[in-house]
Amino acid sequence: MSENFDMSEKKGICYLVGAGPGDPGLITLRGKACIEMADVVVYDNLSNDEFLSWARPEAERIFAGKKSKCHALHQSEINDLLVEKSKSGKVVVRLKGGDPLVFGRGGEEATALRQAGIDFEFVPGISSAIAAPAYAGIPLTHREHCSQLTIFTGHENPSKPESSMNYAQIAKAPGTKVMLMGVARLGIIMQSIIDEGGDPTTPVALVRMATTGQQKTVTGTLATIDDVVKAADFKAPAVCVIGTVVNCREGLNWFEDKPLSGKRVVVTRTLKQAGKLSSGLRELGADVIEMPTIKVSRCEGDDARRFAHCVAEVHTYDWLIFTSPNAVEYFFEAFDLIREDARAIGGARIAAVGPGTSAKLKEYRMATDLMPKDNLAEGLIEAFREEAGSIENTTMLWVRAKETRDVLSEALDEAGVILDEAIAYQTVPETEDPTGAVKRFREEGADIITFTSSSTVEGFLDMGLDIPDEVSIASIGPVTSKTLSESNYEPDAEAKSHDIPGLIAAVVQLANEAAFDGDDFEA
Ligand code: SAH
């Protein structure tokens, strides 16, 4: 740091941040803070996409990783980019998978920055070298097994004239050995270790896509592992662990034992809403594909004017009815804009359909006075009758989506309610593929697909996708199931409680029903 420190001069800096091995929970708090203050994030393809969403919307995001066919940027170009962006006074985050200094070329990038006179900081990350064994249930060191740990690379700098890797030394080193980047040359490397005196029966494990829902582990020995890997069509990226500690996995495997481990589950909600369902499924070990098929947007024109009017007049109603969390959000967003004083909401009582809607109301510090037991709009009339007896001539404002079914308004009309309807938002089909999920679904398929509303079904079909027979369908409730049947798809499971926890339970039930399909390739 310079001695005459001047806060007014904006000096660039580059943080070389370890993103961890994949699970977004395995980045450091410091790493997250750096991303949040970044003007520029330079990332590669081993880090999790979710990290990018932590950057400010206006932050520049630059992909510098290597994809199979196209090399995005060469190392010297990455160095130049980091120097150039930092030099212009920006806060640059160079996000790298695992730890930036464990086979991550962070040292080279830092040297380039130092030579250009630019400040940098290292933010260590959890290397796949330690995370992958942990998530496979393999302790790298263990008092009964070893007291030394060696980490080496199976992929050397191809420009080196001769191999600097001394397999004799590796073969003779006691304790656990961890190899990164060696899947393609696995057979040759294992044989070299055996040739140099390594015991062919030494246990070996390979862990691919560690700490993500796609994690898979295979085990064998120095002599057999290459055949096991080939038979399982096991691909990079993978971490290879060599040593008797691998035997501990039998008793300590935990991550691949979860109820949804190895299951690929599609979530069709809007990107904004996917969170709770996706994280619940991930917690149970699923490989979640977030495929937003609809997006929610504000209304325009007459609908918008009418909505603003109803919000302004909200104090004149006896009851407010909310049938979705979105409705609550759009309503209070408009209410905050129009009214300065929260008391302007008046004395209206609040009815909500679904616990998610009620929970959203709570976020705005609003209690729910009435909620039907079955989470369906149809149950609301019954609930009103039980609560208030006759509802004839009461005034109600129903805050709803443009596409909502008419059953509720018909029933309320019949009961003599003076009903106004405020259209708070509309759902429109998602036409882009913002997460790359459509491509992934087309290429890799899935085990289970979830639908949380009729509009997600319609959005999915509008994208020109169909559901192959081998993919099981989980529906949140009878209305969504009916929409599916009308499109000739029968749900394989329907949630008993029509909410996100209910849907997750239905997915687990489907996963349990599915016959064991040999997902685990233990040798
Ligand atoms: N700096 C990184 C390593 C980069 S080299 C770190 O500390 O983890 C890239 C290699 O890391 C891959 O070839 C693979 O061997 C390993 N790797 C990275 N992430 C991995 C993951 N999630 N699962 C398995 N291996 C991974």
Side-chain angles (χ1 to χ4, degrees):
M1 195 52 60
S2 82
E3 275 173 17
N4 40 1
F5 190 72
D6 178 3
M7 285 297 280
S8 63
E9 179 197 358
K10 199 170 178 240
K11 212 162 163 250
I13 184 166
C14 182
Y15 297 94
L16 296 156
V17 178
D23 177 342
L26 293 179
I27 190 170
T28 63
L29 293 174
R30 172 82 178 137
K32 186 172 190 220
C34 289
I35 296 174
E36 284 166 351
M37 61 184 174
D39 298 311
V40 182
V41 183
V42 180
Y43 64 100
D44 60 33
N45 47 351
L46 276 184
S47 41
N48 191 300
D49 284 349
E50 193 178 322
F51 301 142
L52 296 177
S53 69
W54 297 341
R56 291 175 298 121
E58 64 275 22
E60 194 180 351
R61 294 156 169 83
I62 303 173
F63 177 69
K66 299 173 185 83
K67 283 209 170 124
S68 49
K69 284 195 190 80
C70 57
H71 271 237
L73 285 179
H74 285 291
Q75 188 61 49
S76 61
E77 292 172 310
I78 297 175
N79 295 357
D80 292 348
L81 177 73
L82 298 179
V83 168
E84 177 210 325
K85 292 287 178 189
S86 312
K87 223 176 197 164
S88 65
K90 296 202 160 127
V91 174
V92 178
V93 165
R94 168 66 171 130
L95 195 58
K96 299 170 86 78
D99 180 89
L101 303 174
V102 176
F103 301 121
R105 308 189 75 169
E108 293 163 56
E109 292 172 8
T111 304
L113 289 160
R114 175 60 47 96
Q115 280 169 355
I118 290 159
D119 288 339
F120 70 85
E121 289 186 21
F122 290 130
V123 181
I126 298 183
S127 174
S128 61
I130 57 166
Y135 270 56
I138 301 170
L140 279 182
T141 68
H142 190 297
R143 287 161 63 119
E144 285 163 26
H145 293 266
C146 60
S147 54
Q148 184 172 326
L149 171 64
T150 307
I151 301 177
F152 68 102
T153 169
H155 177 95
E156 291 174 81
N157 183 345
S159 63
K160 280 190 191 164
E162 58 195 70
S163 174
S164 64
M165 194 58 80
N166 185 335
Y167 289 106
Q169 248 174 25
I170 289 176
K172 289 191 183 74
T176 309
K177 289 136 210 166
V178 175
M179 178 177 72
L180 267 56
M181 296 182 280
V183 181
R185 301 180 56 227
L186 190 68
I188 301 171
I189 296 169
M190 297 295 113
Q191 192 54 51
S192 305
I193 297 176
I194 295 172
D195 291 346
E196 298 290 351
D199 177 353
T201 65
T202 310
V204 178
L206 253 87
V207 191
R208 81 174 297 264
M209 296 299 284
T211 79
T212 75
Q214 299 174 69
Q215 176 174 320
K216 287 260 160 60
T217 302
V218 292
T219 54
T221 63
L222 275 181
T224 64
I225 191 72
D226 190 44
D227 290 340
V228 175
V229 162
K230 289 209 172 89
D233 194 22
F234 199 83
K235 300 219 166 67
V239 167
C240 175
V241 188
I242 306 169
T244 53
V245 285
V246 168
N247 292 335
C248 298
R249 171 172 158 82
E250 216 174 294
L252 297 182
N253 178 18
W254 61 277
F255 186 68
E256 289 161 59
D257 259 1
K258 293 191 173 198
L260 296 177
S261 291
K263 297 286 173 217
R264 192 173 303 137
V265 184
V266 179
V267 167
T268 55
R269 309 198 89 188
T270 63
L271 208 47
K272 206 168 139 222
Q273 291 176 316
K276 215 173 128 209
L277 177 55
S278 301
S279 62
L281 293 167
R282 280 195 189 113
E283 201 56 46
L284 297 172
D287 170 18
V288 175
I289 307 189
E290 277 183 6
M291 185 194 288
T293 61
I294 49 170
K295 56 185 171 196
V296 173
S297 72
R298 238 176 240 116
C299 293
E300 283 159 18
D302 283 349
D303 284 342
R305 274 188 287 278
R306 194 173 149 64
F307 177 56
H309 175 76
C310 289
V311 173
E313 295 298 310
V314 61
H315 58 280
T316 63
Y317 295 93
D318 297 321
W319 281 95
L320 301 181
I321 305 171
F322 294 97
T323 43
S324 70
N326 274 324
V328 175
E329 225 169 79
Y330 278 91
F331 177 85
F332 283 102
E333 189 191 274
F335 182 77
D336 282 349
L337 274 178
I338 297 170
R339 295 281 182 218
E340 297 241 300
D341 185 347
R343 286 169 297 182
I345 199 152
R349 298 215 279 159
I350 295 180
V353 176
T357 310
S358 178
K360 188 53 91 182
L361 280 160
K362 217 167 162 190
E363 282 177 29
Y364 291 92
R365 297 177 175 273
M366 291 287 154
T368 301
D369 300 295
L370 186 88
M371 193 163 88
K373 285 189 204 77
D374 60 4
N375 298 340
L376 293 171
E378 282 84 339
L380 200 57
I381 303 283
E382 205 45 49
F384 272 128
R385 289 227 167 88
E386 278 172 20
E387 166 82 12
S390 166
I391 46 174
E392 201 173 347
N393 287 330
T394 53
T395 54
M396 296 192 186
L397 177 66
W398 178 20
V399 185
R400 67 178 186 88
K402 193 174 173 88
E403 301 77 10
T404 313
R405 300 163 306 131
D406 292 331
V407 277
L408 183 63
S409 54
E410 282 163 13
L412 289 170
D413 274 350
E414 252 171 53
V417 168
I418 303 163
L419 179 69
D420 280 335
E421 297 179 29
I423 297 179
Y425 64 99
Q426 55 186 342
T427 47
V428 291
E430 177 64 78
T431 43
E432 281 149 30
D433 185 12
T435 60
V438 172
K439 185 166 171 280
R440 210 181 142 206
F441 180 71
R442 284 212 167 101
E443 286 169 4
E444 301 171 22
D447 297 294
I448 297 165
I449 181 163
T450 62
F451 291 104
T452 50
S453 65
S454 294
S455 42
T456 57
V457 177
E458 284 152 7
F460 181 86
L461 298 172
D462 283 349
M463 290 169 113
L465 293 164
D466 51 29
I467 309 172
D469 286 345
E470 64 277 13
V471 179
S472 305
I473 303 173
S475 149
I476 200 163
V479 181
T480 305
S481 299
K482 186 159 169 272
T483 309
L484 278 161
S485 312
E486 283 162 8
S487 312
N488 295 324
Y489 289 114
E490 285 310 321
D492 298 279
E494 186 181 280
K496 289 197 183 71
S497 82
H498 311 311
D499 50 22
I500 298 301
L503 184 59
I504 293 175
V507 171
V508 171
Q509 178 206 328
L510 277 177
N512 286 341
E513 280 169 12
F516 183 62
D517 55 7
D519 256 348
D520 206 349
F521 327 106
E522 299 277 326

Short mmCIF file of all heavy atoms in Angstrom, two decimals, residues 223-248:
data_model
loop_
_atom_site.label_atom_id
_atom_site.label_comp_id
_atom_site.label_asym_id
_atom_site.label_seq_id
_atom_site.Cartn_x
_atom_site.Cartn_y
_atom_site.Cartn_z
N ALA A 223 -4.03 -50.99 -9.98
CA ALA A 223 -4.06 -51.89 -11.14
C ALA A 223 -5.39 -51.85 -11.89
O ALA A 223 -5.41 -52.03 -13.11
CB ALA A 223 -3.76 -53.32 -10.69
N THR A 224 -6.50 -51.60 -11.18
CA THR A 224 -7.81 -51.76 -11.84
C THR A 224 -8.51 -50.45 -12.18
O THR A 224 -9.45 -50.44 -12.99
CB THR A 224 -8.78 -52.55 -10.93
OG1 THR A 224 -9.03 -51.77 -9.74
CG2 THR A 224 -8.22 -53.91 -10.56
N ILE A 225 -8.12 -49.34 -11.57
CA ILE A 225 -8.95 -48.14 -11.65
C ILE A 225 -9.17 -47.65 -13.09
O ILE A 225 -10.25 -47.17 -13.44
CB ILE A 225 -8.40 -47.00 -10.74
CG1 ILE A 225 -9.41 -45.84 -10.61
CG2 ILE A 225 -7.07 -46.46 -11.26
CD1 ILE A 225 -10.60 -46.14 -9.79
N ASP A 226 -8.16 -47.83 -13.94
CA ASP A 226 -8.32 -47.33 -15.31
C ASP A 226 -9.45 -48.06 -16.02
O ASP A 226 -10.26 -47.44 -16.73
CB ASP A 226 -6.99 -47.47 -16.08
CG ASP A 226 -7.07 -46.73 -17.40
OD1 ASP A 226 -7.59 -45.59 -17.40
OD2 ASP A 226 -6.63 -47.28 -18.42
N ASP A 227 -9.54 -49.38 -15.81
CA ASP A 227 -10.63 -50.15 -16.43
C ASP A 227 -11.98 -49.72 -15.86
O ASP A 227 -12.97 -49.60 -16.60
CB ASP A 227 -10.43 -51.66 -16.17
CG ASP A 227 -9.24 -52.20 -16.96
OD1 ASP A 227 -8.86 -51.53 -17.94
OD2 ASP A 227 -8.70 -53.26 -16.58
N VAL A 228 -12.01 -49.50 -14.55
CA VAL A 228 -13.27 -49.09 -13.91
C VAL A 228 -13.74 -47.76 -14.52
O VAL A 228 -14.91 -47.59 -14.89
CB VAL A 228 -13.08 -48.91 -12.38
CG1 VAL A 228 -14.35 -48.35 -11.74
CG2 VAL A 228 -12.67 -50.22 -11.73
N VAL A 229 -12.80 -46.83 -14.67
CA VAL A 229 -13.12 -45.51 -15.19
C VAL A 229 -13.63 -45.61 -16.63
O VAL A 229 -14.61 -44.99 -17.02
CB VAL A 229 -11.87 -44.59 -15.09
CG1 VAL A 229 -11.97 -43.39 -15.99
CG2 VAL A 229 -11.68 -44.16 -13.64
N LYS A 230 -12.97 -46.45 -17.41
CA LYS A 230 -13.38 -46.60 -18.81
C LYS A 230 -14.77 -47.23 -18.88
O LYS A 230 -15.63 -46.79 -19.65
CB LYS A 230 -12.37 -47.46 -19.57
CG LYS A 230 -11.05 -46.71 -19.78
CD LYS A 230 -10.34 -47.17 -21.05
CE LYS A 230 -9.14 -46.29 -21.35
NZ LYS A 230 -7.90 -46.79 -20.70
N ALA A 231 -15.02 -48.26 -18.05
CA ALA A 231 -16.31 -48.95 -18.09
C ALA A 231 -17.44 -48.01 -17.69
O ALA A 231 -18.56 -48.11 -18.19
CB ALA A 231 -16.28 -50.16 -17.16
N ALA A 232 -17.15 -47.09 -16.79
CA ALA A 232 -18.19 -46.18 -16.30
C ALA A 232 -18.29 -44.92 -17.17
O ALA A 232 -19.11 -44.05 -16.89
CB ALA A 232 -17.89 -45.79 -14.86
N ASP A 233 -17.47 -44.83 -18.20
CA ASP A 233 -17.42 -43.65 -19.05
C ASP A 233 -17.28 -42.38 -18.21
O ASP A 233 -18.00 -41.40 -18.36
CB ASP A 233 -18.71 -43.58 -19.91
CG ASP A 233 -18.54 -42.58 -21.04
OD1 ASP A 233 -17.39 -42.30 -21.41
OD2 ASP A 233 -19.57 -42.07 -21.54
N PHE A 234 -16.35 -42.47 -17.32
CA PHE A 234 -16.13 -41.44 -16.30
C PHE A 234 -15.25 -40.34 -16.88
O PHE A 234 -14.18 -40.59 -17.40
CB PHE A 234 -15.40 -42.13 -15.15
CG PHE A 234 -15.44 -41.43 -13.85
CD1 PHE A 234 -16.54 -41.54 -13.01
CD2 PHE A 234 -14.37 -40.65 -13.44
CE1 PHE A 234 -16.56 -40.92 -11.78
CE2 PHE A 234 -14.39 -40.02 -12.21
CZ PHE A 234 -15.49 -40.16 -11.38
N LYS A 235 -15.74 -39.09 -16.77
CA LYS A 235 -14.99 -38.01 -17.45
C LYS A 235 -14.48 -36.96 -16.46
O LYS A 235 -14.93 -36.86 -15.34
CB LYS A 235 -15.92 -37.33 -18.45
CG LYS A 235 -16.44 -38.28 -19.51
CD LYS A 235 -16.49 -37.61 -20.86
CE LYS A 235 -16.68 -38.62 -21.98
NZ LYS A 235 -17.99 -39.28 -21.94
N ALA A 236 -13.55 -36.16 -16.94
CA ALA A 236 -13.02 -35.03 -16.16
C ALA A 236 -14.15 -34.00 -15.96
O ALA A 236 -15.12 -34.03 -16.72
CB ALA A 236 -11.86 -34.40 -16.90
N PRO A 237 -14.06 -33.13 -14.99
CA PRO A 237 -12.97 -32.99 -14.04
C PRO A 237 -13.12 -33.95 -12.86
O PRO A 237 -14.23 -34.15 -12.36
CB PRO A 237 -13.13 -31.54 -13.54
CG PRO A 237 -14.60 -31.28 -13.62
CD PRO A 237 -15.09 -32.07 -14.81
N ALA A 238 -12.00 -34.54 -12.48
CA ALA A 238 -12.04 -35.46 -11.34
C ALA A 238 -10.76 -35.36 -10.54
O ALA A 238 -9.70 -35.02 -11.06
CB ALA A 238 -12.24 -36.88 -11.83
N VAL A 239 -10.90 -35.67 -9.27
CA VAL A 239 -9.77 -35.73 -8.36
C VAL A 239 -9.51 -37.21 -8.07
O VAL A 239 -10.45 -37.97 -7.85
CB VAL A 239 -10.10 -34.97 -7.05
CG1 VAL A 239 -9.08 -35.27 -5.96
CG2 VAL A 239 -10.16 -33.47 -7.31
N CYS A 240 -8.23 -37.59 -8.11
CA CYS A 240 -7.87 -38.98 -7.89
C CYS A 240 -7.17 -39.10 -6.53
O CYS A 240 -6.25 -38.34 -6.23
CB CYS A 240 -6.93 -39.41 -9.02
SG CYS A 240 -6.27 -41.05 -8.84
N VAL A 241 -7.65 -40.00 -5.70
CA VAL A 241 -7.05 -40.20 -4.37
C VAL A 241 -6.45 -41.59 -4.33
O VAL A 241 -7.12 -42.58 -4.66
CB VAL A 241 -8.12 -40.08 -3.25
CG1 VAL A 241 -7.44 -40.07 -1.88
CG2 VAL A 241 -8.97 -38.84 -3.42
N ILE A 242 -5.19 -41.67 -3.93
CA ILE A 242 -4.48 -42.94 -3.89
C ILE A 242 -4.03 -43.20 -2.45
O ILE A 242 -3.38 -42.34 -1.85
CB ILE A 242 -3.23 -42.90 -4.81
CG1 ILE A 242 -3.64 -42.47 -6.23
CG2 ILE A 242 -2.50 -44.24 -4.82
CD1 ILE A 242 -2.46 -42.14 -7.15
N GLY A 243 -4.39 -44.35 -1.92
CA GLY A 243 -3.94 -44.68 -0.55
C GLY A 243 -4.98 -45.48 0.21
O GLY A 243 -6.16 -45.52 -0.20
N THR A 244 -4.57 -46.06 1.32
CA THR A 244 -5.50 -46.94 2.05
C THR A 244 -6.65 -46.15 2.68
O THR A 244 -7.68 -46.73 3.02
CB THR A 244 -4.77 -47.73 3.15
OG1 THR A 244 -4.05 -46.80 3.96
CG2 THR A 244 -3.82 -48.76 2.57
N VAL A 245 -6.49 -44.82 2.82
CA VAL A 245 -7.62 -44.02 3.35
C VAL A 245 -8.88 -44.19 2.50
O VAL A 245 -9.99 -43.99 2.99
CB VAL A 245 -7.27 -42.52 3.45
CG1 VAL A 245 -6.34 -42.23 4.61
CG2 VAL A 245 -6.71 -41.99 2.14
N VAL A 246 -8.70 -44.56 1.22
CA VAL A 246 -9.85 -44.74 0.33
C VAL A 246 -10.81 -45.78 0.92
O VAL A 246 -12.04 -45.69 0.75
CB VAL A 246 -9.37 -45.14 -1.10
CG1 VAL A 246 -10.53 -45.61 -1.97
CG2 VAL A 246 -8.65 -43.96 -1.76
N ASN A 247 -10.26 -46.76 1.66
CA ASN A 247 -11.12 -47.79 2.24
C ASN A 247 -12.12 -47.24 3.26
O ASN A 247 -13.14 -47.86 3.54
CB ASN A 247 -10.27 -48.88 2.91
CG ASN A 247 -9.50 -49.68 1.87
OD1 ASN A 247 -9.92 -49.75 0.71
ND2 ASN A 247 -8.39 -50.27 2.27
N CYS A 248 -11.79 -46.06 3.83
CA CYS A 248 -12.69 -45.46 4.83
C CYS A 248 -14.04 -45.07 4.22
O CYS A 248 -15.03 -44.90 4.93
CB CYS A 248 -12.08 -44.21 5.45
SG CYS A 248 -10.55 -44.52 6.34
#
